Structure formats: structure tokens, C-alpha cells
Amino acid sequence: KGDIMRRVMGVLTFFLLVNTLIFCSTNSNNKEKNMKETRIKMSFEKKEVIIKFFNNKTSKDFLSQLPKTLEFEDFARAEKIAYLDRKLTIDKISSAKETSDFCYYAPWGNLAIFYKGYGTDSGLVKLGLIESGKENLIKIKDGDKVTLEIIK
């Protein structure tokens, strides 16, 4: 009788454990999927740029500040930069092997959006990739105000 009860309890414990793991995995995947699919739109002078964000702590911190209008300027004839109101939480400085053209430059506390090539500086935190409108970035003049907002 005791042996049967141990088997029944073992089977019940197994099913409870499997269901818990499935539930936790589904919730985690949904949160990750939602983050992976987060996109923003940069708007200026009837032009736009669409960026798909990576799932990291720094990206989440930046996205929590949107919508926002920032003043951009050209830097090194390869990127547009804008300074934020406050420094972002740093998850980790990404390796240069990861491709990104929408970054946060941690040492200076500014956005760095590359319209020529990709950022490889060791202080860059990769936030996302431009999906469309990259050709419009070169049209942003020093001092132009650009609105950044999450696309629903």
C-alpha cells in the first residue's frame, strides 16, 4: 500500500513540475518575444527611420523614456548623436562582433546612430538595428529636433 502511494505521489509531483516548467517557459518566451519585436520610429521633416530593438537592460531603460524629442548633430561624418537627459543603465558593453547601428555610447551618455557602417568602439552598447529609412539619417542637420516613439 505504501509503495503504491509513493508511485502516485511521484507521478503527481512529476506532472506538477512539468506544468510549472511549461508555464514559466511560456511566460519568459512571451516577454522576450515582445521585447524582441519592439520597434521605434524616428520622425523629422516628414521623414522616418524604423529601428528594431535588442532585448537588453540598456534598451529597456531607453525605451522607458519614450516618447522623446532630441536634438541631433553629425559626428565624424558617419553617425548622428544626441545627448540624453540622464545616463542609461548599462547591461554590458557589447562586443564589436555584434552588428548594430543604433547604439548608446556609455562614456559620453549619448545615442550614436550610424549611417555609414557600424559602431565598433569599446564603449558602445548595442541597442538595435535600423530596419528602414537609414538613408534619411544623413538628412538630419545639426540642431534638428527628432521625435522618437515606440511603434505599437
Side-chain angles (χ1 to χ4, degrees):
K1 199 172 187 178
D3 191 38
I4 294 174
M5 285 301 285
R6 268 187 251 133
R7 286 185 184 177
V8 169
M9 291 303 289
V11 169
L12 288 174
T13 303
F14 173 76
F15 282 116
L16 182 61
L17 179 62
V18 168
N19 283 332
T20 301
L21 290 173
I22 290 171
F23 176 77
C24 290
S25 174
T26 302
N27 276 351
S28 173
N29 287 342
N30 284 343
K31 285 179 188 172
E32 204 169 286
K33 183 179 176 189
N34 288 341
M35 184 62 199
K36 284 181 184 175
E37 294 177 356
T38 301
R39 288 174 174 76
I40 69 165
K41 175 173 66 174
M42 295 177 61
S43 306
F44 57 97
E45 298 181 12
K46 298 183 182 178
K47 293 174 182 52
E48 63 182 39
V49 179
I50 305 299
I51 300 101
K52 182 177 180 181
F53 270 72
F54 299 139
N55 186 15
N56 64 50
K57 195 180 284 187
T58 310
S59 291
K60 290 175 188 175
D61 189 17
F62 175 72
L63 291 168
S64 73
Q65 297 182 33
L66 300 182
K68 180 184 276 296
T69 299
L70 296 171
E71 189 173 301
F72 278 82
E73 61 186 81
D74 198 75
F75 186 78
R77 295 185 181 154
E79 64 187 279
K80 299 296 180 178
I81 65 170
Y83 291 90
L84 302 173
D85 302 332
R86 64 170 178 81
K87 290 200 171 199
L88 298 177
T89 302
I90 303 299
D91 188 15
K92 64 178 179 168
I93 304 295
S94 302
S95 72
K97 294 176 188 172
E98 295 175 327
T99 302
S100 179
D101 44 22
F102 193 96
C103 303
Y104 174 68
Y105 188 58
W108 294 354
N110 66 280
L111 292 180
I113 307 168
F114 294 87
Y115 59 88
K116 287 185 183 174
Y118 296 97
T120 58
D121 189 280
S122 64
L124 289 171
V125 179
K126 316 306 189 194
L127 300 180
L129 278 174
I130 296 173
E131 288 190 325
S132 66
K134 190 171 188 170
E135 69 282 357
N136 292 327
L137 287 172
I138 200 165
K139 298 170 187 166
I140 298 174
K141 297 177 219 65
D142 288 356
D144 278 356
K145 303 243 188 261
V146 177
T147 301
L148 298 98
E149 58 192 329
I150 296 173
I151 300 172
K152 301 282 180 186

